Amino acid sequence: MDIFSPRLLLMWFCLLNLLNYIERGAIASNGVSGKYIDSQCPKEKCRGSEHDEPDDESKTCRDICGYTGIQGEYNLTNFETGMLASFFTGGLTVACPISAQAVRKYHPFVIIGVGQLIFSVALLASGLDETCPNYWSLLAYRTLLGVAEPSFIVVAPPMIDRFAPPESKTLWFAFFYVCISLGSAGGFMLGMLFENTDWRWSFRVQAALNFPLALLFLIRQPARFAWNELEADEEKKDEDLETTRELKTRSGHSATETTPVAPQQDLGTAPLRGSVAFSTRSSIAFARPPVLIRQSRSPCSPLCHSPPTQGSSPGHYTRSTQRGVGQALSSSLNI
């Protein structure tokens, strides 16, 4: 069984897209990023309570009531919490063009496998107390996650466009991109599952789900998916298309050149040409001085009154007559 047939390849890409956006949704959920322990606790009530000195006006509900999740464990401000997403986006922005160029040198599946392996390791490191003891280590892992993700997102859309059937291409892209919404929603749900426990478990679960897909792309790299093979196929398709267009153009010209003219068309246009020639020469004759006309009188050519031969058509007789009259006038007028 080919595990990288076009339909199965679409399935692997959809799963990777789903898991990548589950991570984005989980970090944004209240269960992971954190929330007030008592969201109904106003500042006025916090100040002067047993948790605070009456004359200390710098304390807030965050200091007294506390937060859950990442914000509560590392005692972060809202700005510091937002920087986790910002560093992720910054790493992704820098790594996108690098990953796009690396695909031209290495097999696309190698790029996907290495990137997703780094993605899984960074997720696992974010979920362990020993490897993520403070805010700065978590910020570094978030940046590493952003660097690893483009290895997949720069390869999947061109692959789908290349191997999807023409009649189902838009449907395949719909399946791929709907995973963005489903993954984001699934990430919020996953984060809320660990709201009352340890937020690190959400990262551990994501790493466990993502790691097998990373190995799948690292183990097998079919030659037909190599970027040089894809480019060669595209060039061959372009050449075949150009050849087909040239053949159609040539066949169209040949058909135009070899198309026989119907007899009635020939008979209809020949008298017209003769009539034009006759009327033109006649007008030239009448435009000359009268003396020339008198000098040019000569017996009509025998062709003027030559009867039609047996078997000839009336059209033939008409053309011969007109040609004879034209020749007679031309010779007599020295045209």
Side-chain angles (χ1 to χ4, degrees):
M1 179 182 177
D2 186 9
I3 61 174
F4 287 120
S5 64
R7 292 182 182 274
L8 288 178
L9 184 66
L10 174 66
M11 185 183 72
W12 303 134
F13 284 160
C14 287
L15 286 176
L16 282 175
N17 205 24
L18 187 72
L19 292 175
N20 278 293
Y21 278 89
I22 282 178
E23 191 278 329
R24 298 194 192 189
I27 192 66
S29 66
N30 289 336
V32 176
S33 65
K35 68 173 185 177
Y36 289 123
I37 294 176
D38 185 4
S39 59
Q40 304 299 323
C41 182
K43 293 181 180 180
E44 292 76 12
K45 184 178 179 180
C46 290
R47 295 196 182 98
S49 66
E50 58 181 359
H51 301 288
D52 194 10
E53 295 295 333
D55 58 346
D56 188 358
E57 295 296 328
S58 63
K59 295 292 184 180
T60 62
C61 286
R62 174 179 170 278
D63 301 311
I64 298 171
C65 300
Y67 270 71
T68 61
I70 295 173
Q71 197 167 2
E73 181 167 340
Y74 296 134
N75 196 26
L76 304 178
T77 63
N78 291 333
F79 175 79
E80 291 172 333
T81 306
M83 290 299 291
L84 294 174
S86 299
F87 271 68
F88 173 87
T89 306
L92 186 145
T93 304
V94 172
C96 271
I98 298 175
S99 299
Q101 290 300 317
V103 169
R104 295 182 173 274
K105 187 175 182 180
Y106 303 100
H107 197 286
F109 284 11
V110 173
I111 302 297
I112 293 175
V114 171
Q116 292 304 306
L117 185 62
I118 296 174
F119 196 86
S120 303
V121 171
L123 280 172
L124 185 60
S126 301
L128 298 177
D129 296 330
E130 296 79 7
T131 55
C132 190
N134 52 46
Y135 169 71
W136 298 107
S137 59
L138 181 61
L139 198 64
Y141 293 139
R142 294 297 303 167
T143 306
L144 191 60
L145 286 169
V147 171
E149 187 170 324
S151 63
F152 158 71
I153 63 176
V154 301
V155 173
M159 285 284 189
I160 294 175
D161 181 68
R162 172 65 180 82
F163 292 101
E167 66 277 5
S168 305
K169 189 170 294 187
T170 53
L171 182 62
W172 283 37
F173 274 112
F175 284 134
F176 178 74
Y177 285 113
V178 78
C179 294
I180 295 176
S181 301
L182 295 177
S184 300
F188 278 100
M189 296 174 64
L190 178 65
M192 296 308 294
L193 289 177
F194 303 100
E195 179 182 11
N196 299 320
T197 56
D198 188 0
W199 58 270
R200 298 177 185 272
W201 273 103
S202 65
F203 293 119
R204 298 169 189 170
V205 170
Q206 294 174 59
L209 294 174
N210 205 77
F211 188 72
L213 288 175
L215 291 180
L216 177 68
F217 284 93
L218 281 175
I219 292 173
R220 293 191 60 183
Q221 297 96 34
R224 68 180 183 274
F225 295 108
W227 201 257
N228 55 352
E229 294 291 336
L230 297 179
E231 288 183 338
D233 290 344
E234 290 297 327
E235 291 177 359
K236 186 176 182 302
K237 288 174 64 176
D238 293 341
E239 292 176 359
D240 293 343
L241 182 61
E242 188 66 25
T243 304
T244 304
R245 288 176 179 173
E246 290 180 0
L247 291 175
K248 287 183 178 180
T249 303
R250 291 177 182 176
S251 62
H253 288 318
S254 300
T256 305
E257 294 173 358
T258 58
T259 300
V261 180
Q264 59 270 24
Q265 294 177 353
D266 186 36
L267 291 175
T269 56
L272 180 62
R273 291 194 298 270
S275 301
V276 171
F278 178 77
S279 60
T280 303
R281 288 168 177 167
S282 300
S283 62
I284 294 174
F286 286 108
R288 293 194 176 192
V291 61
L292 293 178
I293 296 177
R294 286 195 300 270
Q295 293 175 357
S296 64
R297 292 177 181 176
S298 61
C300 182
S301 172
L303 293 175
C304 298
H305 306 288
S306 59
T309 58
Q310 185 176 2
S312 62
S313 61
H316 177 77
Y317 174 76
T318 304
R319 289 196 301 273
S320 301
T321 303
Q322 291 172 350
R323 283 198 298 271
V325 172
Q327 292 174 358
L329 287 174
S330 300
S331 60
S332 60
L333 298 175
N334 295 323
I335 297 177

